[in-house]
Amino acid sequence: MKVRNCRIIKLKFFDDGIDGNLVIAESAKQVPFQIKRVYFINNLKSRKAVRGKHAHKRLKQVLFCINGSFELQLDDGVRRERVLLAKPHMGVYMGSNVWHTMHNFSPDCVILVLASDFYKEFDYIRNYRDFIDRVNKKK
Ligand code: TYD
């Protein structure tokens, strides 16, 4: 991927035919950190729904679309990239300081997020200008 601190994560899965699929994510293995928190997002019935619109100072996350599809827009302050998540075993690792926005959710979309830390509001950068200032200072 061209955006800094981001990469595609592929999970191991078993296609058990009529018995469905089994997909596995392990802490500090396929997921490149110790998982401290798991959350999911569903009920995305509106085509106009938008989530994210922030970056994190330290938090690392891996996002999966375990049902349906959505578009993830990534921005490291220099480069931007859009990724379509539509396969349950294909996730995106997002390190710190990545501005991200999620949209174009299919009505059946379920997003699963694995995170490296507990919820901490002080870790959020919710203002895009502040984000740009921060990444420029880091250069
Ligand atoms: P936010 O991370 O902004 O949602 P998204 O990026 O998916 O659009 O979180 C929305 C609200 O939920 C915010 O008020 C904080 C709260 N929240 C928690 O309390 N714990 C959590 O683990 C998360 C992810 C959010």
Side-chain angles (χ1 to χ4, degrees), residues 25-68:
E26 291 168 307
S27 182
K29 290 189 177 177
Q30 302 89 352
V31 176
F33 50 76
Q34 296 282 354
I35 301 164
K36 279 202 183 170
R37 179 168 50 116
V38 174
Y39 61 93
F40 57 85
I41 300 164
N42 65 354
N43 208 17
L44 291 151
K45 291 195 183 119
S46 170
R47 275 274 156 200
K48 291 184 194 152
V50 180
R51 300 207 64 109
K53 292 197 285 183
H54 63 255
H56 287 281
K57 296 174 190 166
R58 302 183 76 96
L59 188 74
K60 302 170 183 72
Q61 304 190 92
V62 183
L63 290 87
F64 294 97
C65 186
I66 59 168
N67 202 62

